[in-house]
Amino acid sequence: MNQGVAITGMGLISAIGNNVADNFASLISGTIGISKISRIKTVHEHEIMVGEVPLTNGELEKLLGLPADSHSRTPLLGIMAAKEALAQAEIQDISEYRTGLISGTTVGGMDKSEQYFYDFYERDLHWNHINSLHAGDSTQKIADAIGLTKSFVTTISTACSSAANAIMLGARMIKSGELDRVIVGGSDSLSKFTINGFKTLMILSDTYNTPFDEHRKGLNLGEAAAFLILESDAIVSKENKKVLAYVKGYGNANDAYHQTASSENGDGAVMAMEKALKVAGITPSKVDYINAHGTATPNNDLSEGRALLRVFNENVPEFSSTKPFTGHTLAVAAGVEAVYSVLSIQNNVIYPNLNFKTPMTEFNLVPETQLKNKEIKTVLSNSFGFGGNCSTLIFTKEA
């Protein structure tokens, strides 16, 4: 029988809360974080809506006790979430066990480096942020901030499935005995480059996103950071740790259908879900709730809906997308939704798929539109990225 990997701590900062508790309170109360752009000066600020973390870089640096203008926004958000996760797991000495950090990101330090696009040759001061552009730098800054200096530290950048693959790799490393504890998740901040890129793809909405609705217009970008602490059975037993939930199953696949679009029939999504169910050792009927990728783009919702029908046939469990609350947080989306999945299990609740009104004409799939209390033992969470990078995670109450 497959044994799950224990989750002992979680940390999260998003547009609907600066910590896990605040995020859950917003989910329960229906408080959304989507609004017009306020923090970034862009020509698109009146055309689209996003999910912004309300804290400025300066405020984040002050909360974290860091020097002014020393970090780009991505590691600042990441440090906030990682420290909360470590605190909940009651980890005092991070070097006591073989500990790793696996972080997903797409933006990296782009939000800072792009500020100096026109004048970085003129001032040596800018080179610090230019050199911090690459994705690995943000992960290293998070590692430095939490005192992880001599261990396994790596970055995964598989677009919007990055954090899912980070969680998957972390679980596999614990199960194989490579590490005893892994901090997994991701961090991504909003940037002009991201906004412009998605605007070019013509998949941004000028209003609130509406996943799985016939009249969906596109996604709202968001920013966030989320980390989970995964620990071995040996640590849990030795220290009598409280386990929040378990990473029971995982699967990823790449259908290589298109550079940005998902397969119209959900081929990669089907493979990822089937692999996750196989690793978990459960049948589709055991899934109580699906936290869908649900970006509210025409292509994704059609692809994911067809994939759900292929895997679950006519017995698709209750499902919803939480992206109307936070926006699509890109590389960290699976980390955010992993935390939400664990909270669903802990509190026996299904979150509402906000803004849904009209079922899609291609199939009769209707997401859960109201907050619902139900016993939840198993949650399946989907995250699909550009280039056909599809990943699925399964979280359970019991190992």
Side-chain angles (χ1 to χ4, degrees):
M1 182 178 178
N2 176 60
Q3 294 295 307
V5 175
I7 301 168
T8 60
M10 303 189 298
L12 171 61
I13 180 170
S14 76
I16 61 171
N18 296 336
N19 53 53
V20 172
D22 287 350
N23 270 263
F24 185 66
S26 294
L27 290 169
I28 297 304
S29 65
T31 303
I32 64 170
I34 307 300
S35 63
K36 294 290 186 182
I37 299 174
S38 63
R39 192 181 55 79
I40 297 175
K41 192 66 179 176
T42 167
V43 294
H44 304 304
E45 59 188 318
H46 299 299
E47 300 175 26
I48 62 172
M49 302 182 77
V50 298
E52 291 180 308
V53 172
L55 295 172
T56 65
N57 284 18
E59 289 170 332
L60 288 166
E61 287 165 340
K62 187 174 181 180
L63 285 170
L64 295 168
L66 294 170
D69 204 34
S70 59
H71 290 58
S72 63
R73 190 168 178 82
T74 295
L76 289 175
L77 295 174
I79 295 168
M80 285 282 289
K83 286 192 170 184
E84 183 188 6
L86 289 167
Q88 184 178 30
E90 298 183 343
I91 296 173
Q92 304 296 327
D93 181 2
I94 201 167
S95 302
E96 185 177 0
Y97 299 98
R98 294 175 301 166
T99 302
L101 169 66
I102 307 173
S103 181
T105 190
T106 60
V107 177
M110 198 178 297
D111 65 303
K112 275 291 185 183
S113 59
E114 69 186 8
Q115 295 177 18
Y116 312 121
F117 181 78
Y118 295 104
D119 65 351
F120 71 88
Y121 282 113
E122 299 178 11
R123 297 180 62 191
D124 292 339
L125 176 65
H126 298 340
W127 281 105
N128 176 49
H129 291 306
I130 294 298
N131 294 333
S132 300
L133 169 63
H134 66 90
D137 181 79
S138 61
T139 304
Q140 189 58 56
K141 282 185 167 63
I142 296 169
D144 292 342
I146 61 177
L148 196 62
T149 56
K150 295 181 179 179
S151 190
F152 181 82
V153 176
T154 194
T155 305
I156 291 180
S157 191
T158 54
C160 307
S161 62
S162 300
N165 288 326
I167 294 168
M168 189 182 315
L169 178 57
R172 292 176 63 188
M173 293 187 78
I174 287 178
K175 291 175 77 171
S176 67
E178 293 292 321
L179 292 172
D180 303 309
R181 173 194 291 145
V182 195
I183 305 154
V184 293
S187 183
D188 254 348
S189 61
L190 285 168
S191 70
K192 286 185 178 181
F193 185 90
T194 312
I195 292 169
N196 292 341
F198 277 81
K199 184 72 173 177
T200 301
L201 290 171
M202 297 184 289
I203 55 175
L204 294 182
S205 177
D206 60 355
T207 185
Y208 299 107
N209 68 86
T210 59
F212 300 104
D213 191 281
E214 171 68 13
H215 305 295
R216 61 198 184 281
K217 299 175 68 175
L219 60 84
N220 303 132
L221 288 171
E223 60 181 357
F227 285 98
L228 298 89
I229 309 296
L230 307 184
E231 298 195 275
S232 67
D233 291 339
I235 294 179
V236 171
S237 177
K238 180 181 177 181
E239 301 193 3
N240 194 27
K241 287 261 185 157
K242 178 182 179 182
V243 177
L244 307 178
Y246 293 88
V247 180
K248 183 75 168 180
Y250 39 78
N252 61 2
N254 193 311
D255 58 24
Y257 175 77
H258 187 270
Q259 285 182 318
T260 58
S262 300
S263 161
E264 291 182 358
N265 293 313
D267 292 341
V270 169
M271 288 188 285
M273 284 189 277
E274 289 180 341
K275 286 182 180 180
L277 289 165
K278 183 177 180 180
V279 170
I282 62 174
T283 61
S285 63
K286 294 296 184 181
V287 175
D288 300 307
Y289 166 53
I290 297 173
N291 187 295
H293 188 53
T295 60
T297 60
N299 173 254
N300 175 87
D301 294 4
L302 177 62
S303 175
E304 186 171 12
R306 285 176 171 163
L308 291 174
L309 288 168
R310 288 173 64 184
V311 173
F312 294 93
N313 297 312
E314 297 302 318
N315 301 309
V316 177
E318 288 153 307
F319 71 97
S320 65
S321 169
T322 50
K323 287 181 174 66
F325 287 92
T326 63
H328 186 3
T329 56
L330 303 183
V332 69
V336 172
E337 289 151 24
V339 174
Y340 292 170
S341 296
V342 173
L343 291 171
S344 174
I345 291 170
Q346 290 180 319
N347 297 279
N348 292 311
V349 65
I350 293 175
Y351 312 114
N353 192 112
L354 301 178
N355 311 322
F356 178 87
K357 292 181 180 179
T358 308
M360 294 168 58
T361 56
E362 291 86 355
F363 40 65
N364 188 30
L365 280 179
V366 177
E368 183 57 56
T369 59
Q370 301 294 322
L371 183 70
K372 182 175 182 179
N373 291 109
K374 173 187 174 182
E375 184 178 17
I376 305 292
K377 293 182 179 179
T378 303
V379 176
L380 182 147
S381 182
N382 283 330
S383 291
F384 309 140
F386 284 172
N389 289 294
C390 299
S391 298
T392 296
L393 299 169
I394 295 177
F395 303 94
T396 58
K397 191 171 189 175
E398 304 293 338

